[in-house]
Amino acid sequence: MIQLSKRVQGVQPSATLGMAAKAKALAAAGHRVISFATGEPDFDTPLHIKEAAKKALDRGMTKYVQVGGIPELIAAVQTKLKRDNHLDYTKEEIIITCGAKDAIFTTLLVLLNEGDEVIIPAPYWVSFPEQVKIAGGAPKIVTTDATRKFRLTPKQLEASITPKSRVVILNSPCNPTGSAYPRDELAALVDIAVNHNLVIISDEIYEKLIYGNFTHTSVATLSDKARASTITVNGVSKTYAMTGWRMGFAAGPKEVIDKMKTVQGQQISSITSFIQPACAEAFLGPQDDVKKMVKEFATRRDLMHEQLTAIPKITAHLPEGAFFHFPNVQYYLGKRSPNGPVTTDADLAEYLLEQAHVAVVGGSASGAPGYIRLSYATSREDIEEGIKKIKDALEKLT
């Protein structure tokens, strides 16, 4: 028998991808399935971006390219960061990665020694702690309070820091909760992190998906010390409906980015050559499609919130960003379905898929038992039908 490494034996598969796969299998069997499971815009990639990829193919851009990204795309990221985030980075301080997920993972590989702690507020994106484990680190989970929309407090951060603390991950707007940090709260957290010599990984992949009067703040803009301590992570997946293109980036101190390029050079070399001009076009070209998507997401957010909170005993806050609702479903746990007990949020997610053919993700996978995550990156019609089916299924629990 082949012996697996200790590194991978404790790593859990993605609950989000697992539920999405089950939903697809049920649909392939001929059932109509409404999926609120996947964090993926249902819009098509804007036409001008696709045309840029076609032109790159037509001119023969199918060969190896620079490990850290082609100069055209690096320059586009520089422009985007200055225009949108008021951040000036040199080309040596930017790396193009295979999605924002890869940017975070490569950062962790570069920063962590065995046993180094990474502070992660819960609820968290399911991959954060698992990537830390693979990189040899130890996730330090800090549970946040629903009454504060799951935002980490300075007191909680201070109390979680130990001599082994090396990194803190901040994700605003947040997957799975949709919560986002106002500038003053973010600044208070960053001051503590900087004072304790922590590196901040700032996952800002949902920065454009914000609603109402909320304003996104990039961590690295808060001070010179913050900039020197922060790895800013972003990409094209959510803003431009380009999840399958697999392009992200990290921006930070040159010594970190240099080592990330070394790791990437030994791992994947570079992301696909001919998509890179298209990603540059995403950042530099017309932004009208983004505005339209955000406007529609805002309408869907409000619709889902209204219908979810109309279900008895379900509570949820109105998200500031991303495209997720994260309702409390604890009232329905401990009940019985026709097929047996519904003890956990994962049981409830399985029940809703089997009974209502609606896919959601249990909150335990994000460090928040008793909650479920629903994505409103789907049509208004699906939202109305799906929430009604959830309501009907919950009424059948005894």
Side-chain angles (χ1 to χ4, degrees):
M1 174 184 280
I2 296 175
Q3 184 173 349
L4 300 177
S5 71
K6 293 180 180 178
R7 181 182 302 106
V8 301
Q9 288 181 25
V11 176
Q12 300 299 314
S14 168
T16 304
L17 296 179
M19 183 55 70
K22 289 179 181 179
K24 289 177 181 177
L26 198 59
H31 299 281
R32 168 162 166 71
V33 178
I34 295 174
S35 180
F36 297 140
T38 308
E40 180 173 50
D42 59 323
F43 302 102
D44 193 13
T45 302
L47 181 60
H48 65 100
I49 298 173
K50 294 194 290 185
E51 290 298 327
K54 294 174 186 177
K55 289 177 182 177
L57 280 170
D58 288 342
R59 65 175 183 263
M61 194 173 180
T62 58
K63 308 298 183 183
Y64 291 134
V65 294
Q66 295 92 329
V67 168
I70 64 172
E72 177 186 354
L73 181 50
I74 293 288
V77 171
Q78 285 180 287
T79 299
K80 174 262 179 295
L81 286 168
K82 188 169 185 177
R83 178 192 67 209
D84 298 344
N85 309 102
H86 311 294
L87 289 168
D88 283 306
Y89 284 99
T90 67
K91 63 180 185 296
E92 291 81 14
E93 294 176 309
I94 296 169
I95 180 174
I96 306 302
T97 60
C98 187
K101 178 183 281 190
D102 181 49
I104 295 166
F105 185 43
T106 305
T107 301
L108 292 169
L109 288 174
V110 166
L111 294 178
L112 297 182
N113 289 312
E114 199 70 28
D116 283 347
E117 290 180 351
V118 178
I119 298 169
I120 305 172
Y124 47 72
W125 177 48
V126 294
S127 292
F128 285 151
E130 305 310 312
Q131 288 192 347
V132 170
K133 293 175 191 176
I134 297 172
K140 182 71 175 289
I141 307 302
V142 182
T143 301
T144 59
D145 191 338
T147 62
R148 296 195 71 260
K149 296 186 178 181
F150 303 106
R151 294 196 296 263
L152 182 69
T153 68
K155 184 177 180 180
Q156 286 178 308
L157 176 57
E158 188 81 55
S160 69
I161 297 171
T162 75
K164 292 184 178 181
S165 299
R166 177 84 171 105
V167 175
V168 58
I169 298 178
L170 297 176
N171 176 208
S172 177
C174 173
N175 174 3
T177 67
S179 296
Y181 288 93
R183 184 181 182 88
D184 59 340
E185 291 188 27
L186 198 59
L189 295 173
V190 169
D191 284 346
I192 293 169
V194 168
N195 290 338
H196 286 274
N197 296 315
L198 298 182
V199 178
I200 304 159
I201 298 177
S202 183
D203 179 356
E204 302 182 15
I205 192 67
Y206 293 100
E207 64 159 351
K208 294 291 186 180
L209 305 184
I210 54 176
Y211 313 111
N213 296 321
F214 191 86
T215 300
H216 172 75
T217 299
S218 286
V219 168
T221 63
L222 292 170
S223 68
D224 290 342
K225 288 184 178 180
R227 186 190 185 285
S229 302
T230 299
I231 311 299
T232 300
V233 173
N234 211 322
V236 297
S237 294
K238 314 300 183 180
T239 299
Y240 300 100
M242 296 174 69
T243 52
W245 296 67
R246 307 315 304 136
M247 178 267 162
F249 68 82
K254 181 178 181 298
E255 62 270 22
V256 177
I257 300 300
D258 280 347
K259 289 302 181 183
M260 291 178 69
K261 290 177 183 177
T262 298
V263 171
Q264 184 160 291
Q266 296 292 2
Q267 184 187 28
I268 65 168
S269 296
S270 70
I271 71 168
T272 303
S273 55
F274 57 83
I275 73 162
Q276 295 195 48
C279 294
E281 172 64 20
F283 291 128
L284 300 179
Q287 303 295 303
D288 297 342
D289 288 297
V290 177
K291 295 175 182 176
K292 291 176 184 176
M293 285 189 278
V294 172
K295 184 178 180 181
E296 177 60 21
F297 280 140
T299 299
R300 296 174 182 183
R301 175 197 69 154
D302 295 344
L303 175 63
M304 180 176 277
H305 181 75
E306 178 185 352
Q307 300 201 354
L308 264 179
T309 54
I311 298 175
K313 306 298 184 179
I314 281 188
T315 58
H317 70 270
L318 186 66
E320 292 92 0
F323 38 59
F324 304 109
H325 273 291
F326 201 64
N328 184 325
V329 294
Q330 293 182 42
Y331 173 80
Y332 294 96
L333 304 184
K335 295 182 179 291
R336 293 191 65 84
S337 76
N339 296 326
V342 176
T343 306
T344 67
D345 51 74
D347 294 339
L348 184 63
E350 291 283 352
Y351 167 70
L352 292 176
L353 184 61
E354 294 170 2
Q355 175 69 34
H357 294 167
V358 177
V360 302
V361 180
S364 291
S366 296
Y371 291 80
I372 57 174
R373 191 195 77 170
L374 297 86
S375 167
Y376 48 89
T378 189
S379 70
R380 299 182 206 180
E381 292 76 18
D382 278 1
I383 290 171
E384 290 183 336
E385 182 181 351
I387 300 301
K388 184 180 184 305
K389 287 185 173 183
I390 288 175
K391 180 177 182 293
D392 291 345
L394 292 176
E395 288 176 349
K396 294 177 182 177
L397 295 174
T398 58

